[in-house]
Amino acid sequence: MIHQATGVSMENILYLGGPNIASEIYHKEYANARICGAEKWRKPLAKFLRQPHFIVWDNSDLVTHEVMGGLKNVYAIGAGMVAALTNESATSKSVYFAHCTSEMIFITHLLSEEPEKLAGPLLADTYVTLLKG
């Protein structure tokens, strides 16, 4: 959408995503992130951002990360609803999380040529958002 709206080349668009919470990174809690996009930008930027407490991975699959990064926010809204409607039932929340992760894995397999490289970071990003996002 950024490419279509602005005309900026896909080669010059990057995605930076969790699993992390900004305030926790600020307080130097251990965290990691992934940066996605063209190699010419993502590799040096990942190296620049990397800190002892903030590990930055890189991946070329910009579109899948962007789609799933948005989707996990929708899941977080649903998680809040499940928590409120079930009086914080751990069982209900775990069932909801299982459904969310199954759907994310399925969608990742549709979008990506190498979904196994994405599953861990995407699911971790979803988990942290459901906990605190």
Side-chain angles (χ1 to χ4, degrees), residues 7 18-19 22 27-28 35 41 44 47 49 55 59-60 67 71-72 75 88-89 93 97 116 125-127 130:
H27 291 291
K28 298 193 183 310
I35 190 163
W41 296 113
K47 185 176 179 182
L49 292 171
I55 306 306
N59 189 286
S60 63
V67 168
L71 184 58
K72 58 107 173 131
Y75 292 143
E88 297 289 337
S89 163
K93 290 190 291 185
F97 183 70
E116 63 281 351
D125 197 6
T126 301
Y127 180 71
L130 296 182

Side-chain angles (χ1 to χ4, degrees), residues 43-65:
K43 293 271 186 195
L45 194 52
K47 185 176 179 182
F48 173 76
L49 292 171
R50 220 169 262 135
Q51 301 289 318
H53 65 280
F54 186 60
I55 306 306
V56 181
W57 303 321
D58 70 277
N59 189 286
S60 63
D61 195 340
L62 173 71
V63 173
T64 302
H65 279 84

Side-chain angles (χ1 to χ4, degrees), residues 6-17:
T6 65
V8 172
S9 163
M10 287 295 288
E11 192 172 273
N12 293 322
I13 297 173
L14 296 168
Y15 169 88
L16 180 67

Side-chain angles (χ1 to χ4, degrees), residues 17-25 29-34 69 72-73 75-76 79 97 101 104 120-133:
N20 53 59
I21 301 294
S23 63
E24 294 177 356
I25 294 169
E29 294 181 33
Y30 180 75
N32 60 48
R34 63 201 176 286
K72 58 107 173 131
N73 293 321
Y75 292 143
F97 183 70
T101 56
M104 288 186 86
L122 291 173
L123 295 177
D125 197 6
T126 301
Y127 180 71
V128 75
T129 302
L130 296 182
L131 286 176
K132 201 169 181 179

